[in-house]
Amino acid sequence: MKLPESFKRIMDIQKHLTKYQAIIQAHGFEYSARLVLLILIASMSYIVLLPSYNFAHLMPRSLMDLMGINYASRLWIEQHSDVFFHFAGAGILVLLFTFAKLFTGTKQAKPALITVIILCFAAEIAQSWIGRGFNEYDLLFGVSGSFMAYLGVT
């Protein structure tokens, strides 16, 4: 019995799809990391270039009340929350640059570390140009978060 020509074409398409599925399964995590990296860099760039910002409205006040954190401590947390964001943001960027495998070679963590440190310096310089000032503590915590993520990856 001879198969119809349309059935043969369907079988060829199925072979190609399984080939592409294998490629996507092999590189899916890299592509996901690249997408998240793109979104994170775009949102961080937006926040860096704002004339001023305030994270106080993002604080979980009801949870802080439940935990018994007094008002003075909440104010301190609100005023110093950007330190946490610099530390965590730089660390997450190093991890994403490493897992996205954007750099050639087998060792991905060192170029990722260097790239994120350059981005930390560039962010502080850009902030000083738009009038927010150069904050050395933000830079210190960004670089230290980068190193912590680098040590975690290597």
Side-chain angles (χ1 to χ4, degrees):
M1 182 171 154
K2 190 173 182 179
L3 295 173
E5 189 65 32
S6 61
F7 187 72
K8 288 180 182 177
R9 277 189 243 141
I10 291 172
M11 294 301 289
D12 287 341
I13 291 172
Q14 188 176 6
K15 287 178 189 175
H16 288 296
L17 284 177
T18 54
K19 180 177 80 171
Y20 291 127
Q21 281 177 333
I23 291 171
I24 290 171
Q25 287 173 351
H27 300 288
F29 188 70
E30 294 171 24
Y31 295 145
S32 300
R34 289 176 185 178
L35 180 64
V36 172
L37 183 65
L38 178 69
I39 293 169
L40 197 60
I41 286 179
S43 60
M44 286 179 167
S45 300
Y46 175 74
I47 292 172
V48 162
L49 296 175
L50 284 175
S52 66
Y53 65 93
N54 187 3
F55 289 114
H57 61 280
L58 299 174
M59 293 292 161
R61 288 188 177 77
S62 58
L63 181 63
M64 291 180 169
D65 286 340
L66 249 128
M67 293 171 53
I69 298 174
N70 62 9
Y71 184 73
S73 298
R74 278 193 286 179
L75 282 178
W76 185 89
I77 291 170
E78 288 175 1
Q79 291 170 353
H80 296 88
S81 63
D82 67 329
V83 170
F84 169 75
F85 287 119
H86 282 276
F87 185 83
I92 290 170
L93 281 177
V94 167
L95 293 175
L96 287 174
F97 269 115
T98 302
F99 294 133
K101 295 185 179 175
L102 295 174
F103 307 105
T104 58
T106 56
K107 298 290 182 186
Q108 299 283 326
K110 190 177 278 187
L113 174 68
I114 293 168
T115 303
V116 172
I117 289 174
I118 289 170
L119 286 174
C120 289
F121 275 99
E124 290 303 318
I125 290 169
Q127 286 177 359
S128 68
W129 284 345
I130 64 171
R132 280 178 43 192
F134 188 93
N135 192 343
E136 61 275 353
Y137 290 116
D138 290 348
L139 185 63
L140 174 71
F141 280 101
V143 171
S144 61
S146 302
F147 276 113
M148 292 298 286
Y150 173 75
L151 293 175
V153 170
T154 55

